[in-house]
Amino acid sequence: MASTDKPDIEASKSEASLPPPPPPPPKRVDYFAVDVALRVLLFAATLTAVVVMSTAKQTEDASVPGLPFRVPVEAKFNHSPAFIYLVAALSVACLYSIITTLASLGVIAKPIYATQFLLYYTIWDVVLLGIVAAATGTAGGVAYIGLKGNSHTGWIKICNVYDKFCRHVGSAVGLSLFASILLVLLVSLSVFSLHSRIRT
């Protein structure tokens, strides 16, 4: 009668010689929910800044050299190219935030396109950050001259007369700075997400 122990020993030896199975790949962490939240905040900040800057208008009586009486002089945001540039840049950022928010919601529904969208987000978020940051700096410089003046060039301050106008401008510049910070966070989030995908 043949023994049945030998095949069992050989089977156990062959199982022992097999390498251990590889560990499962680390689970990819997607931050598209955070991305959507930041883009909604970007939309709210840019829309509010556009509304506040567009309503920056005040009329005050001012003395004109050579005239014995005061005349009404109006201050509006479209009297300054820097403020027009800020409104245009924030309007583009507002529209961009709507489009990318909808795209991020689509990626959450179909994650197969996540890597491709992350690459596009990184590129376009950097471009938009440059536009918004430049507009914020330009408008901020003009607003500072309106607030403090410049004795070296003879530019007088106007915020002591057009206080409401200057409050609108200052609020819009502050919101624009907040939008720039949100864009920095969005760029960082996209780069971090791409980095985690490359490592896996």
mmCIF file of all heavy atoms in Angstrom, residues 162-199:
data_model
loop_
_atom_site.group_PDB
_atom_site.id
_atom_site.type_symbol
_atom_site.label_atom_id
_atom_site.label_comp_id
_atom_site.label_asym_id
_atom_site.label_seq_id
_atom_site.Cartn_x
_atom_site.Cartn_y
_atom_site.Cartn_z
ATOM 1 N N TYR A 162 -13.244 111.496 0.898
ATOM 2 C CA TYR A 162 -14.073 110.415 0.344
ATOM 3 C C TYR A 162 -13.948 109.170 1.228
ATOM 4 O O TYR A 162 -13.397 108.142 0.817
ATOM 5 C CB TYR A 162 -13.625 110.113 -1.094
ATOM 6 C CG TYR A 162 -13.803 111.256 -2.041
ATOM 7 C CD1 TYR A 162 -12.738 112.081 -2.375
ATOM 8 C CD2 TYR A 162 -15.044 111.532 -2.605
ATOM 9 C CE1 TYR A 162 -12.899 113.142 -3.250
ATOM 10 C CE2 TYR A 162 -15.217 112.592 -3.485
ATOM 11 C CZ TYR A 162 -14.139 113.391 -3.795
ATOM 12 O OH TYR A 162 -14.308 114.451 -4.668
ATOM 13 N N ASP A 163 -14.473 109.284 2.436
ATOM 14 C CA ASP A 163 -14.308 108.194 3.399
ATOM 15 C C ASP A 163 -15.091 106.943 3.005
ATOM 16 O O ASP A 163 -14.588 105.821 3.093
ATOM 17 C CB ASP A 163 -14.716 108.668 4.798
ATOM 18 C CG ASP A 163 -16.116 109.278 4.809
ATOM 19 O OD1 ASP A 163 -16.641 109.619 3.731
ATOM 20 O OD2 ASP A 163 -16.681 109.422 5.914
ATOM 21 N N LYS A 164 -16.312 107.090 2.554
ATOM 22 C CA LYS A 164 -17.123 105.938 2.157
ATOM 23 C C LYS A 164 -16.504 105.233 0.950
ATOM 24 O O LYS A 164 -16.415 103.997 0.908
ATOM 25 C CB LYS A 164 -18.542 106.398 1.822
ATOM 26 C CG LYS A 164 -19.468 105.289 1.371
ATOM 27 C CD LYS A 164 -20.819 105.854 0.951
ATOM 28 C CE LYS A 164 -21.673 104.777 0.290
ATOM 29 N NZ LYS A 164 -22.926 105.307 -0.251
ATOM 30 N N PHE A 165 -16.063 106.008 -0.022
ATOM 31 C CA PHE A 165 -15.407 105.447 -1.200
ATOM 32 C C PHE A 165 -14.172 104.643 -0.800
ATOM 33 O O PHE A 165 -13.953 103.519 -1.282
ATOM 34 C CB PHE A 165 -15.030 106.582 -2.150
ATOM 35 C CG PHE A 165 -14.178 106.166 -3.310
ATOM 36 C CD1 PHE A 165 -14.750 105.527 -4.398
ATOM 37 C CD2 PHE A 165 -12.819 106.429 -3.318
ATOM 38 C CE1 PHE A 165 -13.962 105.142 -5.481
ATOM 39 C CE2 PHE A 165 -12.035 106.052 -4.394
ATOM 40 C CZ PHE A 165 -12.604 105.404 -5.481
ATOM 41 N N CYS A 166 -13.375 105.196 0.096
ATOM 42 C CA CYS A 166 -12.150 104.513 0.517
ATOM 43 C C CYS A 166 -12.451 103.247 1.318
ATOM 44 O O CYS A 166 -11.704 102.270 1.244
ATOM 45 C CB CYS A 166 -11.272 105.467 1.336
ATOM 46 S SG CYS A 166 -10.487 106.748 0.328
ATOM 47 N N ARG A 167 -13.533 103.252 2.089
ATOM 48 C CA ARG A 167 -13.905 102.030 2.815
ATOM 49 C C ARG A 167 -14.272 100.913 1.842
ATOM 50 O O ARG A 167 -13.903 99.752 2.042
ATOM 51 C CB ARG A 167 -15.059 102.317 3.771
ATOM 52 C CG ARG A 167 -14.638 102.992 5.061
ATOM 53 C CD ARG A 167 -15.723 102.885 6.124
ATOM 54 N NE ARG A 167 -16.959 103.534 5.707
ATOM 55 C CZ ARG A 167 -17.258 104.814 5.930
ATOM 56 N NH1 ARG A 167 -16.372 105.595 6.545
ATOM 57 N NH2 ARG A 167 -18.406 105.332 5.525
ATOM 58 N N HIS A 168 -14.984 101.259 0.791
ATOM 59 C CA HIS A 168 -15.325 100.265 -0.229
ATOM 60 C C HIS A 168 -14.068 99.718 -0.899
ATOM 61 O O HIS A 168 -13.935 98.502 -1.084
ATOM 62 C CB HIS A 168 -16.240 100.895 -1.284
ATOM 63 C CG HIS A 168 -17.685 100.892 -0.912
ATOM 64 N ND1 HIS A 168 -18.612 100.119 -1.552
ATOM 65 C CD2 HIS A 168 -18.361 101.568 0.048
ATOM 66 C CE1 HIS A 168 -19.809 100.311 -1.015
ATOM 67 N NE2 HIS A 168 -19.679 101.207 -0.042
ATOM 68 N N VAL A 169 -13.162 100.621 -1.255
ATOM 69 C CA VAL A 169 -11.932 100.196 -1.919
ATOM 70 C C VAL A 169 -11.105 99.306 -0.996
ATOM 71 O O VAL A 169 -10.604 98.249 -1.402
ATOM 72 C CB VAL A 169 -11.116 101.423 -2.379
ATOM 73 C CG1 VAL A 169 -9.735 100.999 -2.866
ATOM 74 C CG2 VAL A 169 -11.852 102.173 -3.478
ATOM 75 N N GLY A 170 -10.968 99.710 0.264
ATOM 76 C CA GLY A 170 -10.193 98.917 1.217
ATOM 77 C C GLY A 170 -10.793 97.544 1.433
ATOM 78 O O GLY A 170 -10.066 96.535 1.513
ATOM 79 N N SER A 171 -12.121 97.465 1.523
ATOM 80 C CA SER A 171 -12.779 96.162 1.703
ATOM 81 C C SER A 171 -12.566 95.273 0.488
ATOM 82 O O SER A 171 -12.307 94.075 0.619
ATOM 83 C CB SER A 171 -14.272 96.367 1.947
ATOM 84 O OG SER A 171 -14.497 97.146 3.100
ATOM 85 N N ALA A 172 -12.671 95.859 -0.700
ATOM 86 C CA ALA A 172 -12.473 95.071 -1.918
ATOM 87 C C ALA A 172 -11.041 94.559 -2.034
ATOM 88 O O ALA A 172 -10.813 93.410 -2.424
ATOM 89 C CB ALA A 172 -12.838 95.905 -3.146
ATOM 90 N N VAL A 173 -10.076 95.400 -1.678
ATOM 91 C CA VAL A 173 -8.671 94.971 -1.725
ATOM 92 C C VAL A 173 -8.427 93.866 -0.694
ATOM 93 O O VAL A 173 -7.723 92.880 -0.968
ATOM 94 C CB VAL A 173 -7.728 96.166 -1.500
ATOM 95 C CG1 VAL A 173 -6.292 95.705 -1.298
ATOM 96 C CG2 VAL A 173 -7.808 97.130 -2.672
ATOM 97 N N GLY A 174 -9.022 93.999 0.493
ATOM 98 C CA GLY A 174 -8.873 92.950 1.505
ATOM 99 C C GLY A 174 -9.473 91.623 1.051
ATOM 100 O O GLY A 174 -8.868 90.553 1.243
ATOM 101 N N LEU A 175 -10.649 91.667 0.434
ATOM 102 C CA LEU A 175 -11.263 90.446 -0.086
ATOM 103 C C LEU A 175 -10.453 89.855 -1.230
ATOM 104 O O LEU A 175 -10.353 88.628 -1.373
ATOM 105 C CB LEU A 175 -12.691 90.750 -0.555
ATOM 106 C CG LEU A 175 -13.719 90.965 0.550
ATOM 107 C CD1 LEU A 175 -14.992 91.573 -0.023
ATOM 108 C CD2 LEU A 175 -14.028 89.650 1.258
ATOM 109 N N SER A 176 -9.865 90.721 -2.029
ATOM 110 C CA SER A 176 -9.011 90.242 -3.116
ATOM 111 C C SER A 176 -7.761 89.553 -2.570
ATOM 112 O O SER A 176 -7.304 88.540 -3.119
ATOM 113 C CB SER A 176 -8.626 91.409 -4.019
ATOM 114 O OG SER A 176 -7.821 90.981 -5.078
ATOM 115 N N LEU A 177 -7.215 90.094 -1.490
ATOM 116 C CA LEU A 177 -6.069 89.443 -0.848
ATOM 117 C C LEU A 177 -6.464 88.073 -0.294
ATOM 118 O O LEU A 177 -5.720 87.096 -0.406
ATOM 119 C CB LEU A 177 -5.526 90.338 0.265
ATOM 120 C CG LEU A 177 -4.305 89.828 1.030
ATOM 121 C CD1 LEU A 177 -3.130 89.638 0.087
ATOM 122 C CD2 LEU A 177 -3.942 90.781 2.152
ATOM 123 N N PHE A 178 -7.657 87.987 0.281
ATOM 124 C CA PHE A 178 -8.168 86.705 0.772
ATOM 125 C C PHE A 178 -8.334 85.712 -0.386
ATOM 126 O O PHE A 178 -8.008 84.528 -0.255
ATOM 127 C CB PHE A 178 -9.502 86.922 1.495
ATOM 128 C CG PHE A 178 -10.148 85.669 1.993
ATOM 129 C CD1 PHE A 178 -9.538 84.892 2.962
ATOM 130 C CD2 PHE A 178 -11.371 85.252 1.480
ATOM 131 C CE1 PHE A 178 -10.132 83.728 3.421
ATOM 132 C CE2 PHE A 178 -11.974 84.103 1.929
ATOM 133 C CZ PHE A 178 -11.360 83.331 2.909
ATOM 134 N N ALA A 179 -8.818 86.190 -1.531
ATOM 135 C CA ALA A 179 -8.945 85.326 -2.710
ATOM 136 C C ALA A 179 -7.575 84.830 -3.173
ATOM 137 O O ALA A 179 -7.442 83.671 -3.592
ATOM 138 C CB ALA A 179 -9.653 86.081 -3.832
ATOM 139 N N SER A 180 -6.564 85.681 -3.092
ATOM 140 C CA SER A 180 -5.202 85.259 -3.460
ATOM 141 C C SER A 180 -4.708 84.152 -2.536
ATOM 142 O O SER A 180 -4.083 83.178 -2.986
ATOM 143 C CB SER A 180 -4.241 86.449 -3.407
ATOM 144 O OG SER A 180 -4.627 87.454 -4.310
ATOM 145 N N ILE A 181 -4.993 84.282 -1.254
ATOM 146 C CA ILE A 181 -4.584 83.245 -0.297
ATOM 147 C C ILE A 181 -5.313 81.935 -0.593
ATOM 148 O O ILE A 181 -4.723 80.845 -0.531
ATOM 149 C CB ILE A 181 -4.849 83.722 1.142
ATOM 150 C CG1 ILE A 181 -3.939 84.901 1.484
ATOM 151 C CG2 ILE A 181 -4.637 82.592 2.143
ATOM 152 C CD1 ILE A 181 -4.287 85.603 2.774
ATOM 153 N N LEU A 182 -6.594 82.017 -0.939
ATOM 154 C CA LEU A 182 -7.344 80.811 -1.302
ATOM 155 C C LEU A 182 -6.736 80.144 -2.535
ATOM 156 O O LEU A 182 -6.649 78.908 -2.600
ATOM 157 C CB LEU A 182 -8.806 81.167 -1.568
ATOM 158 C CG LEU A 182 -9.656 81.518 -0.350
ATOM 159 C CD1 LEU A 182 -11.042 81.982 -0.797
ATOM 160 C CD2 LEU A 182 -9.787 80.330 0.588
ATOM 161 N N LEU A 183 -6.298 80.930 -3.500
ATOM 162 C CA LEU A 183 -5.672 80.355 -4.692
ATOM 163 C C LEU A 183 -4.341 79.693 -4.351
ATOM 164 O O LEU A 183 -3.991 78.655 -4.923
ATOM 165 C CB LEU A 183 -5.482 81.438 -5.757
ATOM 166 C CG LEU A 183 -6.758 81.815 -6.505
ATOM 167 C CD1 LEU A 183 -6.582 83.121 -7.255
ATOM 168 C CD2 LEU A 183 -7.154 80.707 -7.469
ATOM 169 N N VAL A 184 -3.585 80.264 -3.414
ATOM 170 C CA VAL A 184 -2.345 79.619 -2.957
ATOM 171 C C VAL A 184 -2.667 78.261 -2.331
ATOM 172 O O VAL A 184 -1.989 77.253 -2.586
ATOM 173 C CB VAL A 184 -1.599 80.518 -1.954
ATOM 174 C CG1 VAL A 184 -0.453 79.765 -1.296
ATOM 175 C CG2 VAL A 184 -1.070 81.766 -2.643
ATOM 176 N N LEU A 185 -3.719 78.207 -1.516
ATOM 177 C CA LEU A 185 -4.120 76.945 -0.898
ATOM 178 C C LEU A 185 -4.566 75.935 -1.952
ATOM 179 O O LEU A 185 -4.267 74.743 -1.846
ATOM 180 C CB LEU A 185 -5.239 77.195 0.113
ATOM 181 C CG LEU A 185 -4.867 78.000 1.360
ATOM 182 C CD1 LEU A 185 -6.100 78.251 2.222
ATOM 183 C CD2 LEU A 185 -3.798 77.268 2.163
ATOM 184 N N LEU A 186 -5.277 76.399 -2.968
ATOM 185 C CA LEU A 186 -5.728 75.490 -4.028
ATOM 186 C C LEU A 186 -4.545 74.932 -4.821
ATOM 187 O O LEU A 186 -4.520 73.741 -5.156
ATOM 188 C CB LEU A 186 -6.692 76.221 -4.967
ATOM 189 C CG LEU A 186 -8.107 76.406 -4.435
ATOM 190 C CD1 LEU A 186 -8.883 77.409 -5.287
ATOM 191 C CD2 LEU A 186 -8.842 75.080 -4.390
ATOM 192 N N VAL A 187 -3.562 75.776 -5.119
ATOM 193 C CA VAL A 187 -2.367 75.296 -5.821
ATOM 194 C C VAL A 187 -1.637 74.267 -4.966
ATOM 195 O O VAL A 187 -1.236 73.192 -5.447
ATOM 196 C CB VAL A 187 -1.437 76.477 -6.179
ATOM 197 C CG1 VAL A 187 -0.099 75.972 -6.691
ATOM 198 C CG2 VAL A 187 -2.087 77.375 -7.212
ATOM 199 N N SER A 188 -1.482 74.559 -3.680
ATOM 200 C CA SER A 188 -0.789 73.634 -2.780
ATOM 201 C C SER A 188 -1.535 72.310 -2.684
ATOM 202 O O SER A 188 -0.921 71.233 -2.677
ATOM 203 C CB SER A 188 -0.657 74.257 -1.384
ATOM 204 O OG SER A 188 0.011 75.494 -1.448
ATOM 205 N N LEU A 189 -2.852 72.369 -2.612
ATOM 206 C CA LEU A 189 -3.657 71.151 -2.522
ATOM 207 C C LEU A 189 -3.527 70.307 -3.787
ATOM 208 O O LEU A 189 -3.372 69.077 -3.712
ATOM 209 C CB LEU A 189 -5.121 71.524 -2.286
ATOM 210 C CG LEU A 189 -6.099 70.374 -2.060
ATOM 211 C CD1 LEU A 189 -5.781 69.649 -0.768
ATOM 212 C CD2 LEU A 189 -7.527 70.882 -2.035
ATOM 213 N N SER A 190 -3.547 70.936 -4.948
ATOM 214 C CA SER A 190 -3.407 70.190 -6.202
ATOM 215 C C SER A 190 -2.021 69.561 -6.310
ATOM 216 O O SER A 190 -1.890 68.403 -6.723
ATOM 217 C CB SER A 190 -3.658 71.115 -7.396
ATOM 218 O OG SER A 190 -4.975 71.614 -7.378
ATOM 219 N N VAL A 191 -0.988 70.305 -5.952
ATOM 220 C CA VAL A 191 0.381 69.763 -6.017
ATOM 221 C C VAL A 191 0.536 68.608 -5.039
ATOM 222 O O VAL A 191 1.130 67.570 -5.372
ATOM 223 C CB VAL A 191 1.409 70.884 -5.732
ATOM 224 C CG1 VAL A 191 2.792 70.305 -5.540
ATOM 225 C CG2 VAL A 191 1.411 71.903 -6.855
ATOM 226 N N PHE A 192 0.005 68.738 -3.831
ATOM 227 C CA PHE A 192 0.099 67.658 -2.849
ATOM 228 C C PHE A 192 -0.653 66.422 -3.327
ATOM 229 O O PHE A 192 -0.165 65.292 -3.171
ATOM 230 C CB PHE A 192 -0.466 68.128 -1.506
ATOM 231 C CG PHE A 192 -0.411 67.088 -0.430
ATOM 232 C CD1 PHE A 192 0.778 66.793 0.210
ATOM 233 C CD2 PHE A 192 -1.554 66.389 -0.071
ATOM 234 C CE1 PHE A 192 0.834 65.814 1.190
ATOM 235 C CE2 PHE A 192 -1.519 65.423 0.915
ATOM 236 C CZ PHE A 192 -0.319 65.138 1.547
ATOM 237 N N SER A 193 -1.820 66.605 -3.921
ATOM 238 C CA SER A 193 -2.585 65.466 -4.425
ATOM 239 C C SER A 193 -1.849 64.782 -5.568
ATOM 240 O O SER A 193 -1.796 63.542 -5.630
ATOM 241 C CB SER A 193 -3.966 65.922 -4.892
ATOM 242 O OG SER A 193 -4.698 66.486 -3.839
ATOM 243 N N LEU A 194 -1.250 65.550 -6.479
ATOM 244 C CA LEU A 194 -0.466 64.956 -7.554
ATOM 245 C C LEU A 194 0.742 64.212 -7.006
ATOM 246 O O LEU A 194 1.085 63.116 -7.471
ATOM 247 C CB LEU A 194 -0.003 66.048 -8.529
ATOM 248 C CG LEU A 194 -1.031 66.523 -9.563
ATOM 249 C CD1 LEU A 194 -0.468 67.710 -10.333
ATOM 250 C CD2 LEU A 194 -1.393 65.398 -10.518
ATOM 251 N N HIS A 195 1.394 64.781 -6.007
ATOM 252 C CA HIS A 195 2.568 64.136 -5.408
ATOM 253 C C HIS A 195 2.194 62.797 -4.774
ATOM 254 O O HIS A 195 2.908 61.806 -4.918
ATOM 255 C CB HIS A 195 3.180 65.078 -4.366
ATOM 256 C CG HIS A 195 4.329 64.457 -3.617
ATOM 257 N ND1 HIS A 195 5.536 64.165 -4.214
ATOM 258 C CD2 HIS A 195 4.443 64.087 -2.308
ATOM 259 C CE1 HIS A 195 6.340 63.647 -3.321
ATOM 260 N NE2 HIS A 195 5.704 63.581 -2.161
ATOM 261 N N SER A 196 1.065 62.755 -4.073
ATOM 262 C CA SER A 196 0.639 61.504 -3.443
ATOM 263 C C SER A 196 0.281 60.456 -4.495
ATOM 264 O O SER A 196 0.519 59.262 -4.299
ATOM 265 C CB SER A 196 -0.555 61.751 -2.530
ATOM 266 O OG SER A 196 -1.678 62.180 -3.262
ATOM 267 N N ARG A 197 -0.217 60.881 -5.659
ATOM 268 C CA ARG A 197 -0.532 59.919 -6.717
ATOM 269 C C ARG A 197 0.738 59.405 -7.373
ATOM 270 O O ARG A 197 0.806 58.230 -7.762
ATOM 271 C CB ARG A 197 -1.432 60.575 -7.769
ATOM 272 C CG ARG A 197 -2.843 60.739 -7.292
ATOM 273 C CD ARG A 197 -3.685 61.526 -8.269
ATOM 274 N NE ARG A 197 -5.062 61.510 -7.817
ATOM 275 C CZ ARG A 197 -5.941 60.558 -8.122
ATOM 276 N NH1 ARG A 197 -5.596 59.576 -8.921
ATOM 277 N NH2 ARG A 197 -7.167 60.606 -7.665
ATOM 278 N N ILE A 198 1.752 60.254 -7.524
ATOM 279 C CA ILE A 198 3.020 59.797 -8.128
ATOM 280 C C ILE A 198 3.704 58.792 -7.206
ATOM 281 O O ILE A 198 4.259 57.793 -7.673
ATOM 282 C CB ILE A 198 3.931 61.022 -8.393
ATOM 283 C CG1 ILE A 198 3.341 61.875 -9.512
ATOM 284 C CG2 ILE A 198 5.333 60.572 -8.761
ATOM 285 C CD1 ILE A 198 4.010 63.198 -9.697
ATOM 286 N N ARG A 199 3.647 59.025 -5.923
ATOM 287 C CA ARG A 199 4.295 58.111 -4.973
ATOM 288 C C ARG A 199 3.637 56.743 -4.968
ATOM 289 O O ARG A 199 4.285 55.741 -4.696
ATOM 290 C CB ARG A 199 4.254 58.699 -3.566
ATOM 291 C CG ARG A 199 5.148 59.906 -3.395
ATOM 292 C CD ARG A 199 5.140 60.399 -1.980
ATOM 293 N NE ARG A 199 5.667 59.402 -1.068
ATOM 294 C CZ ARG A 199 5.680 59.546 0.257
ATOM 295 N NH1 ARG A 199 5.163 60.618 0.793
ATOM 296 N NH2 ARG A 199 6.174 58.617 1.015
#
